[in-house]
Amino acid sequence: MSSKPTGELVPLNIALLTVSDTRGPDQDTSGQYLEDQLLATGHQLAARRILPDDVYLVRALMSRWIADPAIHGIIITGGTGFHERDSTPEAVGPLLDKIIDGFGEEFRRLSQLDIGTSTIQSRAFGGLANHTVIFCLPGSTGACRTGWEGILSTQLDSRHGPCNFAALVQRKPDRPVHRLDEVVGDKAQA
């Protein structure tokens, strides 16, 4: 079990990433849904980005967010299917210290109620890296609603018992993440 419940909500700083080759800010209804929900429940939006389905771009941004001591959690929407460009599991998987096996299992169980056996085509998953909890959801707004309402809203809530991820992610080590942007010497380009 990850942590015991508290009496009051401990707000978390959550970063949101939409992985899509076709969506821009105006079409990102899934990312907007997740932003609206996390703010409505008292959490903070630490960052929000949209990136194409590119393993190395996703991995680079995720590495930065994982190292950032101010970010407690990351929710990714998109890139979890079987289309040739869907690469979120391949991008994020190598960065994880631990896999939250139950997240993908529970997500598919809940999704089955809405989409039947098509749920087997979801590679939704979760994990931990550097005391950052990471949840990867399919790109549809319906799937994000299922994931938020059925799992994330409680597992990110410090008041939820018998356990949740809130206390665990607040033990994140303080790293000098600002050093990632330092340029050394006068010949190097930023």
Side-chain angles (χ1 to χ4, degrees):
M1 302 294 160
S2 295
S3 67
K4 294 183 179 179
T6 63
E8 294 184 29
L9 176 73
V10 176
L12 301 178
N13 297 323
I14 308 292
L16 297 176
L17 172 61
T18 297
V19 177
S20 175
D21 287 334
T22 59
R23 293 184 190 178
D26 293 336
Q27 299 83 30
D28 185 19
T29 57
S30 299
Q32 190 60 54
Y33 170 81
L34 291 167
E35 177 181 332
D36 293 344
Q37 296 308 304
L38 75 91
L39 292 174
T41 56
H43 297 297
Q44 304 296 319
L45 180 64
R48 182 172 170 198
R49 302 286 187 277
I50 299 174
L51 288 178
D53 282 298
D54 182 289
V55 169
Y56 300 102
L57 290 176
V58 171
R59 198 174 288 166
L61 180 61
M62 291 296 296
S63 293
R64 181 175 285 264
W65 284 352
I66 289 166
D68 189 335
I71 295 178
H72 301 118
I74 301 167
I75 303 173
I76 301 175
T77 175
T80 61
F82 285 98
H83 292 285
E84 60 189 40
R85 296 269 303 154
D86 288 337
S87 59
T88 298
E90 291 76 20
V92 177
L95 302 175
L96 299 178
D97 299 326
K98 296 181 186 285
I99 296 172
I100 304 170
D101 294 312
F103 175 75
E105 295 165 358
E106 179 65 359
F107 177 80
R108 283 181 283 282
R109 186 189 70 78
L110 293 169
S111 293
Q112 194 275 334
L113 301 172
D114 292 329
I115 63 172
T117 60
S118 293
T119 193
I120 67 168
Q121 293 191 32
S122 167
R123 298 188 298 155
F125 69 102
L128 292 163
N130 189 38
H131 291 274
T132 306
V133 66
I134 301 162
F135 296 105
C136 301
L137 295 164
S140 76
T141 305
C144 289
R145 184 176 295 109
T146 296
W148 180 266
E149 292 176 3
I151 306 169
L152 300 180
S153 64
T154 55
Q155 284 302 299
L156 297 174
D157 188 332
S158 59
R159 302 166 296 188
H160 178 74
C163 58
N164 59 72
F165 287 102
L168 179 68
V169 300
Q170 294 195 7
R171 295 196 311 250
K172 190 170 185 175
D174 190 17
R175 299 187 191 282
V177 73
H178 67 279
R179 305 273 322 261
L180 293 172
D181 295 319
E182 285 182 6
V183 178
V184 178
D186 58 355
K187 303 214 181 351
Q189 297 180 13

